[in-house]
Amino acid sequence: MVDRPLFLVSLSLITIGILFSYSLSSFAVLYYGYGEFHFLFRQLIAGILGVFLMWGISRCEPDRFILRFGFILFFGGIFLMFIMHFLPESLATSAGGAKRWIRLPFFSLAPVEFFKIGFVTFLAWSFSRKFSLLEQKTLKEEFVTFLPYVVVFLIAVYLIAILQNDLGQIVLLGTTLAIMMIFAGSSFKLFLYLLSGAFVLFVGVIVTSTHRIQRVKTWWAGAQDLILSIFPQSIANSLRVENLPEPYQIQHSLNAIANGGFLGEGLGNGLIKLGFLSEVHTDVVLAGIAEEIGVFGLICISLLFVVLIFRILKIANRCATNMHYLFCSGVAVILGFSFLINAFGISGLIPIKGIAVPFLSYGGSSILATSIMIGMVLSISKKAKRV
């Protein structure tokens, strides 16, 4: 029997996402000249398809389906992300000077959203064969074992961070890789070495891109007063940077949260969506939600995500096979950190990354990919041990 609470929580989040795709898109509707229900209908269709996908995939036999379907998404995602760069503008939609969506009839496909499912599947399959919680290896042996995954990750860096100019997804995939490696049984010492290498790579990717340097400067403009307040005045003055760009995204997000207060301005009454931030229903949807239903509403949504992650990890803990355990753990990491990265971004703790909030951010690819992940976990839950 599938995990019914996980399905119901997912259904609740899909419903909330559909509701706010209508409430937060009013300015975008006017700006682009769309019909009043343009975004609502599209998100509603994606949500309904997502529910049917969850239900259909949950009925599949996990031992046969998970690995096969996951590898199709893994290699298919790599192929689509590569050829997308060479497609004409009529077939590929650009964002920030990079192509991120493939245009299909009535739908724009973001291959990276589906590649993430394949990435987790590949890691779960391979880690379950290469690592063992009972097997002790030297640090050198662990490095040799891990080298192929470095190659795979560097391919992802090229396809996503360089060709698509999307560093946020790479941060998410790198975090997933590191945590799944620990779950698989690698040593903490290897984790620290790889974390150091990832930091060097992260800095290198930033300093080689004018766009990313500008984004870091914008974040520091809004965050430096808070961070430097913990240092002595002499040190704070030496670290302070003047004449930085205006952090309008973070400022407007914080203003929306402050304006919403504890109970919010009321559904449909938010101001941030009225041109202060473009397309608030996508990247900064949590700020728009906080303004309309307040901190209390945001806490309720956060609790739904806590229950979602808890149910997935509970299924992972009861899995009969190591691969299924690692797959469910990877899905929990992907969904949990997607929510946290977005939440930390709108609060000014980190630069805004542009990562969709699972089920809540507007976008067909995101909601369908998340539904597929949950459907695969539900399929695995049928074979999980009962306690």
Side-chain angles (χ1 to χ4, degrees), residues 5 12 22 38 76 88 123 137 155 160 174 176 273 342 352 368:
S12 300
Y22 174 70
H38 173 85
L123 293 182
K137 293 184 178 181
I155 292 173
I160 300 171
T176 303
K273 64 189 179 185
N342 198 287
I352 293 178
L368 291 178

Side-chain angles (χ1 to χ4, degrees), residues 166-246:
D166 191 352
L167 184 59
Q169 297 287 3
I170 287 298
V171 171
L172 181 60
L173 292 176
T175 303
T176 303
L177 171 62
I179 296 178
M180 286 185 67
M181 185 183 66
I182 294 177
F183 286 164
S186 69
S187 67
F188 189 69
K189 185 179 290 186
L190 175 64
F191 172 76
L192 292 178
Y193 276 111
L194 294 175
L195 186 65
S196 302
F199 178 76
V200 172
L201 177 64
F202 180 74
V203 173
V205 172
I206 289 177
V207 299
T208 54
S209 170
T210 304
H211 167 73
R212 297 189 185 107
I213 293 174
Q214 185 76 1
R215 177 166 288 189
V216 171
K217 287 182 177 179
T218 301
W219 166 73
W220 184 246
Q224 64 177 341
D225 288 340
L226 175 63
I227 295 175
L228 295 180
S229 64
I230 65 177
F231 291 93
Q233 190 65 33
S234 58
I235 297 177
N237 290 336
S238 63
L239 294 176
R240 187 174 299 280
V241 181
E242 304 294 342
N243 300 319
L244 289 173
E246 187 74 16

Side-chain angles (χ1 to χ4, degrees), residues 238-289:
S238 63
L239 294 176
R240 187 174 299 280
V241 181
E242 304 294 342
N243 300 319
L244 289 173
E246 187 74 16
Y248 70 94
Q249 278 189 307
I250 295 175
Q251 285 185 351
H252 286 310
S253 295
L254 293 175
N255 288 339
I257 297 171
N259 190 42
F262 187 70
L263 295 177
E265 291 290 297
L267 195 62
N269 294 328
L271 298 177
I272 188 178
K273 64 189 179 185
L274 302 179
F276 293 99
L277 282 180
S278 61
E279 303 192 15
V280 66
H281 54 297
T282 57
D283 293 348
V284 290
V285 65
L286 291 180
I289 290 174

Side-chain angles (χ1 to χ4, degrees), residues 43-173:
Q43 193 75 346
L44 179 61
I45 292 172
I48 293 172
L49 287 176
V51 172
F52 276 106
L53 277 172
M54 271 194 289
W55 176 79
I57 292 174
S58 70
R59 296 174 62 85
C60 295
E61 176 63 35
D63 295 331
R64 299 177 181 179
F65 177 79
I66 300 297
L67 186 61
R68 189 177 304 171
F69 185 60
F71 267 76
I72 290 174
L73 294 177
F74 179 71
F75 290 109
I78 291 176
F79 174 74
L80 290 176
M81 286 190 295
F82 178 74
I83 66 166
M84 183 170 56
H85 181 65
F86 302 99
L87 294 176
E89 288 291 333
S90 59
L91 297 177
T93 306
S94 298
K99 296 174 181 176
R100 298 182 183 176
W101 296 274
I102 296 176
R103 290 179 180 173
L104 301 173
F106 310 107
F107 180 70
S108 290
L109 177 71
V112 67
E113 296 292 342
F114 300 93
F115 170 76
K116 289 188 289 190
I117 307 173
F119 185 74
V120 170
T121 305
F122 167 76
L123 293 182
W125 168 78
S126 189
F127 281 171
S128 66
R129 297 167 68 246
K130 296 292 185 181
F131 290 90
S132 172
L133 293 172
L134 302 177
E135 182 182 354
Q136 296 296 323
K137 293 184 178 181
T138 65
L139 185 61
K140 181 179 179 180
E141 289 174 332
E142 284 192 302
F143 265 117
V144 172
T145 303
F146 193 74
L147 280 177
Y149 305 104
V150 175
V151 175
V152 172
F153 185 67
L154 289 177
I155 292 173
V157 169
Y158 173 74
L159 292 173
I160 300 171
I162 297 177
L163 292 186
Q164 297 188 36
N165 196 25
D166 191 352
L167 184 59
Q169 297 287 3
I170 287 298
V171 171
L172 181 60
L173 292 176

Side-chain angles (χ1 to χ4, degrees), residues 331-366:
V331 169
V333 173
I334 285 276
L335 299 182
F337 273 87
S338 294
F339 180 83
L340 288 177
I341 288 173
N342 198 287
F344 289 166
I346 66 166
S347 60
L349 297 177
I350 62 174
I352 293 178
K353 297 292 185 182
I355 292 179
V357 181
F359 291 131
L360 299 184
S361 292
Y362 173 80
S365 293
S366 174

